[in-house]
Structure formats: structure tokens, C-alpha cells
Amino acid sequence: RMLASLQSEVEANLVMLEPYVPIHRQWAQGLAKQSAADANGSGFDAFMAARPEMPAGTTTNVPILRRAAWDAALSTGALRLVDYDLAAGLSEIYGMQDYAAQTFGRIPFSDMEFFEPAGRLAAIGLMQMSLNEMVWVEGRLLALYRQHLPAIRAAATGAR
């Protein structure tokens, strides 16, 4: 049951994450153009002007990745019952998800300078760095999902 839940969670996270990589890449490219544009606006103005159209049904600027099955497996000690390599692969996935969540939080929304025109260029630079890091971490996370899903599926179905 634990493995089936982890499989379902990783598959759902893969589907959730995939559309965000090109969006964030396009957003970072749009910010590069904003740095030379309207010098009177704030970093927030540039951020929103560069924001690409989000796909229908998207409600957030970043993916909300699930981790309940992982947390349950950790808290119950159920991971000790699975193959070490499988547990290590899952740990790699969820460790990268934690890093992704930290990266998503680096957009400086809580910094007042983000909303001040005088801090525009610095805010744009920070946002570009954050979005470029998001694109990297999202790509890495997609690769980890694809790398480890075959073993997770096999273990969940007992084919191992």
C-alpha cells in the first residue's frame, strides 16, 4: 500500500510539474527584456509584465508538489521494509522537492524594495536568478521522477 501511494504521488507530481518548466523559462527570458524597459516601474511591475499566460486551470505561479505519502512512509518507519536502492531513490526525489520548494520561495515578495521603483534593477536580477534556478531544479526533478518511477512501479506491483 505504501509503495502504491508513493507511486501515485510521484506520478501526480510529474504531471503537475511538467508544464511549469517552459513557463518559468519564458518568464526568466521576459524578465531579461524588462530590465531595459520602463525604468519607472517596480520590480513587482516587471515581474508581472514578464509573466507568461498560465495554462488553463493553473492557480499558482509554482507547482504545489505532494508529499503526504512520503511523510507517512517516514513517520511510520515503513521505508525500512523496502529495498535500500528504492528508498535511496525516493529520498533523492523528495530531497530535490524540498530544494525546489525553497527555490520557489526565493522570489522576494516580502521585501518592500521589490515594490519600490528605485530597487527595480536589483529586484529583476534577483527574480531572474530565482527563475533560472527554478528551471534548473524543475528539470532535475523531472529527470529524477523519470529515472526512479520504473523501480517504484515495479516494487508497487511486486514485479521486482
Side-chain angles (χ1 to χ4, degrees), residues 24-38:
H24 290 151
R25 185 176 292 116
Q26 184 181 355
W27 206 340
Q29 292 165 349
L31 275 172
K33 295 173 188 164
Q34 286 296 315
S35 62
D38 181 16

Side-chain angles (χ1 to χ4, degrees), residues 50-141:
R51 183 179 187 254
E53 187 171 330
M54 302 300 271
T58 303
T59 58
T60 63
N61 290 324
V62 296
I64 306 300
L65 302 174
R66 294 172 32 193
R67 63 172 294 124
W70 174 249
D71 289 342
L74 287 176
S75 67
T76 62
L79 281 179
R80 72 176 186 271
L81 304 174
V82 301
D83 175 73
Y84 174 83
D85 291 334
L86 181 63
L90 288 162
S91 181
E92 187 176 22
I93 285 171
Y94 285 95
M96 187 60 68
Q97 277 190 202
D98 288 345
Y99 182 67
Q102 292 170 14
T103 303
F104 300 156
R106 289 199 183 111
I107 300 294
F109 287 119
S110 62
D111 187 345
M112 290 306 295
E113 288 185 18
F114 185 59
F115 299 94
E116 297 290 334
R120 176 186 173 82
L121 290 178
I124 289 172
L126 285 171
M127 290 181 291
Q128 282 179 294
M129 287 181 358
S130 296
L131 285 167
N132 286 331
E133 188 171 359
M134 274 189 224
V135 170
W136 177 85
V137 75
E138 289 167 346
R140 180 69 186 123
L141 195 48

Side-chain angles (χ1 to χ4, degrees), residues 10 15 19 75 157:
V10 171
V15 169
S75 67
T157 61

